[in-house]
Amino acid sequence: MAEKATVRVPTAHLRGSSAIRRPLIVLAVCAVGVVGYLARDFLIPTAGAIVLALMLTPVATALERGHMPKTLAAGASVSLLALVLAGVLALAIPSIAGWIADAPTLTYRLEKKLEGVRESIATLQRVTKQVEQAAATAPAERPVSPVEKVVVQDGKSLLGQLASTTPGVVLQLGYAAVLAFMLLVHRNDHRRQLLRVPGAFATRVRVARMMRDINERVGHYLFALAVLYSGVAAASATVLALLGLPNAVIWGVLVGLASFVPFVGAPVLIALVAAAALVTFDDWMRIVAAPAAVALIHIAESQFITPFFVSRRCALNTVAVFVGIALLGWMWGVIGAIVAVPLLILLSTVAAHLPSLRWLEIMLADERPVSQRLAVKPPLASVKRPQVQVRRRVAAR
């Protein structure tokens, strides 16, 4: 019997290829970061449209099951979200204009209520200065007159800045709405077109499973969070209105939006509610009760309600989530901080189905990698192995 030939790959060649691959990965990550920062005016509404389309997918699917055409279902989903946002803006703009008009009065009230804190800080500064003067051994030098700074204002008022930035914001919102509508309308067509791409059967099955898991993990997860955070906004607005805080609806909506930003959003809004209560109320009971009520609602939502209704399959590494929020918040602002977690879930789901990105999936996973959770799922019914026709040989008689 002939011996089987074995091919041995030199270890030096493997080491060289891995040594070249690592710098290429670092350069690719840096290039993606630079492009993401420079093209942020285009990427911010694009990322927002993708997240909105995934979040509205369960709504459009439910409308289509009610025998509504897919175009009308997508249009109704986007229009409903647009009406909600328009209502929030209609309530927020007069309140923000009132805050801007009353800014001097609010500042004066805050200064008067913080007068005791300022006196304590001034006393501490005087004591510190006396200690420094007593500890100084060198003779006092001739004081140098401070350099005067000349500040040149560009002459633009707040209304002028808003007027100059509004057209760009409106264009980005319109682009995001149209792109989300198109993604909702053609989501099934794109899935079928990807499955028709020539390739191996295993590759097509992997693509089909990846699209299914993206729909389940990201779409249903975002829709569930939107429903839960809407409840948080309603509860916060109700409690703040009962306490007598002005513009309680706006504060409730801000609390709901801040819940999409883990680690940072809720503490910032609690601090802002505390500042508003300090300026508005005179009794310390309500000053303490307003931020305490918002904090209790946030703790109940984050520790009990959300873990009970939302599956742990979307859990990500805490460090990865914090770094992602910080990075996208620095690159894209508030919108980047909001879409950071959905984009990380999307990236983790894609990496779970690509062997070359398995290391990224492990880094983003919380406890067990996503690929191990997805391995126990049932096979897809829509993807069937092509039948192979077997030709039978008829033996000659």
Side-chain angles (χ1 to χ4, degrees):
M1 295 178 63
E3 296 181 356
K4 295 182 179 180
T6 58
V7 179
R8 295 182 179 180
V9 180
T11 57
H13 178 71
L14 295 177
R15 294 177 181 176
S17 61
S18 62
I20 295 174
R21 186 183 303 172
R22 293 174 183 175
L24 290 179
I25 293 175
V26 174
L27 291 176
V29 172
C30 294
V32 170
V34 171
V35 172
Y37 181 76
L38 295 178
R40 57 186 180 274
D41 293 336
F42 171 75
L43 294 178
I44 289 175
T46 302
I50 293 173
V51 172
L52 289 178
L54 291 173
M55 184 175 66
L56 294 176
T57 296
V59 180
T61 303
L63 294 177
E64 290 177 3
R65 289 176 180 174
H67 304 287
M68 181 179 290
K70 59 181 182 179
T71 304
L72 293 179
S77 303
V78 177
S79 300
L80 181 61
L81 181 61
L83 288 176
V84 173
L85 294 178
V88 172
L89 290 177
L91 293 175
I93 290 176
S95 302
I96 295 175
W99 291 342
I100 295 174
D102 296 338
T105 305
L106 297 177
T107 305
Y108 177 75
R109 290 180 182 176
L110 187 61
E111 289 180 353
K112 293 296 290 183
K113 292 187 177 181
L114 296 178
E115 190 68 29
V117 179
R118 292 179 58 186
E119 292 179 356
S120 301
I121 295 175
T123 303
L124 182 61
Q125 290 178 352
R126 286 196 300 268
V127 172
T128 305
K129 190 174 182 179
Q130 292 176 0
V131 172
E132 290 178 354
Q133 291 178 356
T137 55
E141 298 180 357
R142 182 178 178 182
V144 181
S145 59
V147 180
E148 296 182 357
K149 295 182 180 180
V150 180
V151 179
V152 181
Q153 298 182 355
D154 55 357
K156 290 185 178 180
S157 61
L158 180 61
L159 294 178
Q161 293 178 359
L162 291 176
S164 61
T165 56
T166 298
V169 174
V170 171
L171 288 176
Q172 289 183 349
L173 291 176
Y175 166 74
V178 173
L179 181 58
F181 169 75
M182 296 178 67
L183 290 175
L184 284 174
V185 172
H186 300 288
R187 65 186 187 279
N188 296 325
D189 298 335
H190 293 161
R191 185 182 297 111
R192 287 192 292 265
Q193 290 174 359
L194 287 175
L195 293 178
R196 291 172 183 171
V197 175
F201 177 75
T203 304
R204 297 172 62 186
V205 171
R206 182 178 298 171
V207 172
R209 288 178 176 176
M210 181 175 63
M211 290 186 295
R212 178 194 63 182
D213 296 330
I214 287 175
N215 185 26
E216 292 182 359
R217 297 189 72 224
V218 185
H220 291 82
Y221 175 75
L222 289 178
F223 181 75
L225 286 187
V227 174
L228 291 176
Y229 294 157
S230 298
V232 170
S236 301
T238 303
V239 172
L240 294 178
L242 292 176
L243 291 174
L245 186 68
N247 305 312
V249 177
I250 304 302
W251 286 113
V253 172
L254 292 178
V255 171
L257 291 176
S259 300
F260 281 96
V261 185
F263 310 121
V264 182
V268 171
L269 257 297
I270 291 172
L272 291 178
V273 170
L278 182 62
V279 173
T280 304
F281 302 135
D282 293 329
D283 54 332
W284 285 100
M285 183 65 68
R286 289 192 293 176
I287 291 175
V288 176
V294 176
L296 289 177
I297 292 173
H298 169 67
I299 292 173
E301 173 269 321
S302 60
Q303 300 298 325
F304 301 101
I305 300 176
T306 300
F308 181 77
F309 288 99
V310 179
S311 176
R312 290 285 297 173
R313 63 186 176 182
C314 299
L316 297 173
N317 189 358
T318 305
V319 178
V321 172
F322 183 78
V323 174
I325 292 173
L327 180 61
L328 289 182
W330 171 71
M331 292 174 57
W332 296 350
V334 179
I335 303 298
I338 293 175
V339 302
V341 176
L343 291 181
L344 285 177
I345 297 174
L346 178 62
L347 183 60
S348 173
T349 306
V350 173
H353 293 274
L354 299 179
S356 60
L357 296 178
R358 194 60 52 84
W359 60 273
L360 181 60
E361 176 214 357
I362 295 174
M363 291 180 63
L364 294 177
D366 184 15
E367 296 177 356
R368 189 174 54 166
V370 182
S371 57
Q372 298 181 7
R373 301 190 186 102
L374 300 179
V376 299
K377 284 195 171 184
L380 293 172
S382 59
V383 180
K384 299 181 180 179
R385 184 178 296 276
Q387 298 179 357
V388 180
Q389 297 180 358
V390 180
R391 297 179 180 178
R392 298 180 179 179
R393 297 181 179 179
V394 180
R397 294 181 180 179

